[in-house]
């Protein structure tokens, strides 16, 4: 049977057209500019509601060998791998009052990770910890992060509740000076920037947003004093409240069911539905856990990244798919089944079509799931995502869809246009005002904006050049780690580096690599390390040369933060990961090759 003869339960032509209609109706000329930065009148939205012991300390003027900026999962890996390498003089600088990064801030009800805990949680073997269930929730992850910090003594010498404002390179002393909001002037031989990609929450620039007189907050600063309860539910403070939530991304999908079961009335304002897949959480199989061999977690992470990116992996065997049984890998399994069914009839050039049909089938499953669960047909239709898998972040949740069968919950679908206006008392959609006592913004984080804006600080390098200026037309780097003119500063992130849905895998690879380099530099009295211009131009060219189709949320997708809100910003080619969506394991190999060779070509050392 050839590919054109397969019998399908869907009409591919209809789906192609429908996807395109849904995309086009959401495009807007203002792209990323539609969002409102949390500054000025809106700065209270980012105040930290979780601080228990506000720190009051004198400014520091001292020196460390390595300053790590950021105490999230990346900063924890960086600290742990440096300690393992024998680097002792470390300081983590973090704006929150504890470690955890995204898991420090995101404590909204239902917050949990939807990548399996065996793969996602950092350093399980090192901490001798086996998660009790397949998926870990925010409380478990935050406490695990704190345990990592304790084990590797990262609380020692750390500066918590401290925000970096500027980094300045001094050529004479070959040191960075780190200026903070506490008037610190900390000198460092090496700086590791691990700020995280989603650390600055954003608000929509909806007309009238500052007029609202009721209670309001962003999901990453959940106000439990108002709602009662905690991230595991029990929001008793909402029992007599009308609540509105704007946004239906991965965050809203997790917290809506908790709001629905506690609020007197809940309005969910939707612009684009998320694809909500099965979660099927279950306790950890103790027999399986007992049989694991040392090194299992790293191997599992590599296998997961390989199957997610659809490329190669261990001995190139696709069988590694079978050890995972979640919605992330279902797409790969459908593709494999279709290939098998076609057998020897697969022709050269069929792969694209087989992938497209596998993707249609996968998303039909997601849409059928909505129909099976949501009783009201009109509501069910509005909740169906019409775009390809991975255009938006897939969500794994078994509680969200049934919430729309509750009498006190109403979906307010905006047909892709978004909320029209906000008044003193409520939210307007299509000319109708929905009055609310509490308005929650589940509107996400800055992603496509400039690196320095997201980091919250700029770097002033050799001859006074600023990183903001240098990267104003897009990122220029060597391995996504070094940038010429900014010596002794190393970056662990995903721009020009690795993308994998299991982000900790990429963070750990970056941490292992940079710890190895820094240890070598310190042991060999190398006081200045900079990438050559040639090396970074060649690396950047390789990144830019990757076809846009392999980027997350390509140009045929509905707008969102995966594709810079559907705008054709040439900077996105520069800022994308190495190899686009499928280059992670290749990138890791390149890092290993570079450091194991011991010669570090492309770096100038003195
Ligand atoms: P997102 O950016 O994914 O979602 C923002 C939501 O706000 C979207 O639904 C968007 O609609 C909506 N929105 C924006 N402006 C308007 C408007 N004017 N009117 C109506 N709606 C509007 O943010 P999230 O916080 O949900 O998720 C961010 C990321 O955090 C995820 O993608 C994921 O990477 C991570 N995350 C991870 C989890 C995990 O399990 N590991 C769990 C939760 C989050 P539209 O889609 O149309 O733009």
């Amino acid at each position: 049977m050839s590919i054109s003869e397969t019998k399908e339960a869907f009409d591919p032509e209809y789906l192609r057209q429908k996807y395109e209609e849904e995309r086009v109706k959401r495009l807007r000329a203002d792209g990323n500019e539609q969002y409102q930065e949390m500054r000025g009148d809106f700065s209270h939205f980012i105040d930290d509601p979780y601080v228990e012991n506000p720190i009051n300390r004198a400014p520091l003027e001292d020196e460390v060998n390595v300053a790590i900026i950021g105490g999230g999962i990346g900063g924890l890996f960086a600290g742990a791998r440096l300690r393992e390498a024998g680097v002792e003089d470390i300081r983590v600088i973090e704006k929150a009052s504890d470690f955890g990064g995204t898991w420090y801030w995101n404590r909204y009800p239902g917050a949990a990770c939807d990548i399996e805990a065996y793969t996602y949680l950092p350093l399980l073997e090192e901490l001798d910890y086996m998660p009790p269930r397949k998926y870990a929730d925010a409380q478990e992850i935050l406490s695990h992060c704190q345990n990592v910090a304790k084990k590797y003594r990262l609380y020692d010498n750390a500066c918590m509740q401290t925000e970096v404002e500027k980094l300045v390179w001094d050529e004479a002393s070959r040191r960075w000076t780190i200026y903070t909001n506490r008037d610190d002037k900390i000198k460092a031989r090496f700086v590791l920037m691990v700020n995280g990609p989603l650390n600055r929450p954003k608000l929509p620039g909806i007309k009238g947003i500052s007029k609202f007189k009721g209670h309001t907050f962003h999901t990453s600063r959940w106000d439990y004093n108002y709602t009662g309860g905690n991230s595991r539910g029990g929001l008793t403070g909402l029992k007599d409240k009308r609540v509105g939530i704007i946004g239906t991304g991965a965050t809203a999908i997790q917290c809506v069911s908790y709001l629905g079961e506690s609020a007197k009335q809940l309005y969910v304002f939707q612009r684009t539905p998320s694809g909500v897949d099965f979660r099927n959480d279950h306790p950890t199989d103790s027999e399986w856990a007992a049989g694991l061999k040392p090194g299992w977690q790293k191997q599992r992470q590599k296998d997961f990244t390989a199957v997610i990116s659809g490329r190669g992996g261990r001995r190139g065997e696709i069988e590694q798919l079978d050890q995972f049984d979640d919605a992330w890998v279902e797409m790969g399994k459908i593709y494999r089944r279709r290939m098998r069914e076609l057998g020897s009839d697969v022709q050269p050039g069929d792969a694209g079509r087989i992938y497209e049909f596998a993707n249609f089938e996968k998303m039909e499953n997601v849409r059928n799931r909505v129909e099976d669960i949501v009783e009201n047909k009109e509501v069910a239709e509005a909740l169906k995502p019409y775009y390809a898998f991975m255009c938006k972040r897939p969500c794994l949740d078994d509680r969200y869809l049934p919430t729309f069968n509750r009498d006190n919950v109403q979906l307010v679908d905006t047909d892709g246009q978004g909320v029209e206006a906000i008044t003193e008392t409520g939210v307007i959609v299509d000319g109708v005002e929905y009055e609310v006592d509490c308005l929650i913004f589940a509107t996400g984080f800055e992603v496509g904006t400039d690196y320095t804006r997201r980091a919250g600080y700029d770097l002033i390098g050799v001859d006074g050049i600023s990183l903001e200026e240098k990267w104003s037309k897009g990122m220029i780097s060597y391995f996504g780690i070094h940038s010429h003119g900014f010596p002794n500063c190393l970056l662990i992130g995903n721009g020009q580096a690795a993308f994998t849905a299991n982000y900790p895998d990429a963070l750990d690879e970056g941490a292992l690599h940079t710890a190895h380099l820094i240890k070598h530099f310190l042991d060999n009295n190398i006081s200045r390390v900079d990438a050559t211009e040639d090396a970074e131009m060649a690396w950047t060219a390789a990144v830019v040369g990757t076809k846009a189709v392999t980027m997350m949320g390509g140009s045929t997708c509905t707008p969102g933060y995966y594709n810079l809100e559907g705008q054709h910003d040439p900077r996105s080619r520069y800022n994308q990961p190495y190899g686009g969506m499928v280059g992670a394991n290749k990138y890791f190999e390149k890092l290993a090759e570079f450091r194991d060779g011991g010669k570090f070509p492309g770096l100038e050392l003195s």
Side-chain angles (χ1 to χ4, degrees):
M1 178 176 54
S2 82
I3 183 161
S4 53
E5 291 164 342
T6 57
K7 291 222 172 348
E8 304 296 349
F10 51 83
D11 175 353
E13 202 37 53
Y14 166 77
L15 288 178
R16 283 186 202 114
Q17 266 177 29
K18 175 81 175 154
Y19 284 12
E20 180 59 6
E21 271 166 28
E22 295 295 323
R23 182 184 80 82
V24 169
K25 99 175 145 195
R26 288 174 171 81
L27 286 175
R28 25 193 299 174
D30 53 0
N32 251 330
E33 298 303 313
Q34 67 180 283
Y35 289 103
Q36 166 78 52
E37 249 193 291
M38 289 188 177
R39 289 191 187 280
D41 287 352
F42 298 97
S43 57
H44 64 277
F45 272 96
I46 40 172
D47 290 348
D48 182 350
Y50 314 123
V51 186
E52 282 166 15
N53 302 304
I55 293 174
N56 191 1
R57 63 166 175 81
L60 292 167
E61 287 199 26
D62 59 0
E63 179 170 322
V64 290
N65 268 343
V66 188
I68 300 173
I69 304 179
I73 288 191
L76 288 166
F77 271 125
R81 298 309 189 188
L82 280 165
R83 286 270 195 258
E84 283 175 351
V87 178
E88 280 302 311
D89 188 13
I90 299 175
R91 169 174 293 154
V92 176
I93 306 174
E94 165 59 55
K95 70 174 171 232
S97 66
D98 209 331
F99 285 91
T102 197
W103 299 104
Y104 175 90
W105 298 110
N106 287 287
R107 305 181 185 199
Y108 56 83
C113 186
D114 51 20
I115 302 283
E116 57 156 41
Y118 319 123
T119 307
Y120 183 90
L121 280 184
L123 303 160
L124 286 181
E125 290 184 75
E126 288 81 348
L127 265 80
D128 197 16
Y129 178 67
M130 178 51 69
R133 302 185 67 80
K134 177 170 177 174
Y135 293 103
D137 72 9
Q139 288 188 29
E140 182 185 351
I141 303 172
L142 182 57
S143 110
H144 182 74
C145 288
Q146 291 160 345
N147 290 339
V148 172
K150 281 181 208 145
K151 176 173 167 83
Y152 290 96
R153 295 173 285 110
L154 300 177
Y155 285 100
D156 300 355
N157 208 25
C159 290
M160 291 290 160
Q161 298 174 40
T162 303
E163 219 166 319
V164 171
E165 289 187 333
K166 188 166 62 168
L167 262 67
V168 181
W169 173 249
D170 176 41
E171 195 62 65
S173 63
R174 298 186 161 190
R175 300 282 187 275
W176 284 97
T177 305
I178 302 167
Y179 296 86
T180 76
N181 64 343
R182 292 181 175 272
D183 294 329
D184 303 313
K185 293 189 187 107
I186 301 163
K187 294 202 180 303
R189 293 180 69 177
F190 293 96
V191 172
L192 256 177
M193 299 196 293
V194 209
N195 312 300
L198 296 168
N199 75 340
R200 278 188 89 79
K202 63 180 166 32
L203 292 171
I206 299 171
K207 194 170 79 184
I209 184 170
S210 54
K211 290 199 183 133
F212 183 65
K213 292 244 161 68
H215 199 75
T216 182
F217 54 86
H218 186 273
T219 46
S220 68
R221 304 290 189 275
W222 196 272
D223 188 353
Y224 284 109
N225 285 332
Y226 179 82
T227 65
N230 59 37
S231 64
R232 291 181 178 157
L235 312 177
T236 50
L238 298 181
K239 68 177 187 309
D240 55 353
K241 301 285 190 296
R242 298 160 303 173
V243 177
I245 182 165
I246 298 185
T248 49
T251 296
I253 299 310
Q254 291 184 331
C255 68
V256 154
S257 62
Y258 292 87
L259 291 170
E261 71 190 15
S262 298
K264 183 169 109 188
Q265 172 69 39
L266 175 67
Y267 299 108
V268 180
F269 297 99
Q270 169 179 278
R271 189 164 69 180
T272 309
S274 278
V276 187
D277 230 312
F278 61 91
R279 187 170 186 84
N280 291 350
D281 191 13
H282 56 71
T284 298
D285 176 346
S286 51
E287 218 173 291
W288 165 80
L292 292 167
K293 303 273 181 302
W296 70 268
Q297 193 189 20
K298 234 329 131 247
Q299 189 57 59
R300 197 170 172 90
Q301 287 170 337
K302 293 288 147 264
D303 288 350
F304 189 77
T305 294
V307 299
I308 284 294
S309 70
R311 282 278 165 98
R314 189 168 32 149
R315 297 186 301 279
E317 288 170 10
I318 200 130
E319 276 61 38
Q320 55 195 254
L321 261 174
D322 292 331
Q323 66 188 303
F324 304 105
D325 62 350
D326 60 27
W328 288 99
V329 302
E330 201 201 6
M331 168 76 199
K333 290 186 177 180
I334 295 172
Y335 180 79
R336 181 174 58 162
R337 195 205 71 231
R338 284 179 170 265
M339 281 293 225
R340 211 176 31 232
E341 281 167 6
L342 287 167
S344 56
D345 290 334
V346 176
Q347 301 300 313
D350 280 351
R353 173 68 72 87
I354 298 170
Y355 179 85
E356 186 195 29
F357 278 30
N359 202 315
F360 283 146
E361 181 181 333
K362 166 76 196 165
M363 291 307 284
E364 282 289 284
N365 292 346
V366 172
R367 288 185 283 268
N368 291 340
R369 189 167 180 263
V370 182
E371 212 159 276
D372 291 346
I373 296 173
V374 177
E375 290 154 10
N376 181 307
K377 292 293 158 226
E378 211 178 310
V379 176
E381 195 50 39
L383 285 165
K384 289 183 189 170
Y386 282 99
Y387 46 76
F389 183 62
M390 284 311 282
C391 275
K392 286 194 178 276
R393 198 269 192 186
C395 300
L396 280 55
D397 192 283
D398 296 332
R399 298 175 45 117
Y400 177 73
L401 293 171
T403 303
F404 293 95
N405 295 332
R406 298 182 65 104
D407 292 337
N408 66 328
V409 176
Q410 183 177 340
L411 177 74
V412 184
D413 182 44
T414 65
D415 194 25
Q417 303 311 300
V419 162
E420 206 172 295
I422 294 175
T423 65
E424 287 186 6
T425 48
V427 176
I428 298 187
V429 173
D430 211 9
V432 178
E433 181 177 13
Y434 297 83
E435 287 195 357
V436 295
D437 304 298
C438 173
L439 183 56
I440 301 171
F441 290 97
T443 45
F445 302 85
E446 291 200 20
V447 177
T449 50
D450 289 341
Y451 176 83
T452 47
R453 168 168 152 178
R454 280 180 286 128
Y457 59 89
D458 196 6
L459 279 76
I460 309 299
V462 175
D463 295 334
I465 23 161
S466 96
L467 190 67
E468 186 176 351
E469 234 170 86
K470 179 174 174 186
W471 286 1
S472 60
K473 294 200 169 69
M475 194 171 173
I476 301 172
S477 86
Y478 188 35
F479 285 112
I481 294 176
H482 315 266
S483 195
H484 177 73
F486 299 86
N488 295 16
C489 180
L490 293 86
L491 165 64
I492 304 177
N494 54 12
Q496 301 202 350
F499 166 78
T500 157
N502 180 37
Y503 193 35
D505 184 20
L507 292 171
D508 192 22
E509 290 294 334
L512 284 161
H513 182 79
T514 51
H516 178 96
L517 296 185
I518 290 174
K519 170 71 173 156
H520 176 87
F521 302 149
L522 290 171
D523 284 357
N524 292 280
N525 260 333
I526 294 167
S527 58
R528 194 180 191 284
V529 180
D530 200 3
T532 65
E533 277 184 288
D534 284 352
E536 69 174 9
M537 290 324 286
W539 184 263
T540 302
V543 170
V544 174
T546 303
K547 275 202 207 135
V549 288
T550 59
M551 288 162 60
M552 267 193 305
S555 56
T556 56
C557 284
T558 39
Y561 83 79
Y562 271 15
N563 65 355
L564 284 178
E565 304 298 332
Q567 299 285 307
H568 295 288
D569 184 335
R571 290 178 306 173
S572 63
R573 294 292 283 268
Y574 286 78
N575 300 343
Q576 67 169 324
Y578 175 84
M581 267 180 85
V582 296
N585 280 348
K586 183 84 199 143
Y587 174 79
F588 302 153
E589 278 165 27
K590 287 214 161 271
L591 286 187
E593 215 173 89
F594 174 82
R595 66 175 178 263
D596 295 346
K599 294 213 162 46
F600 314 128
L603 291 184
E604 271 171 355
L605 313 179
S606 58

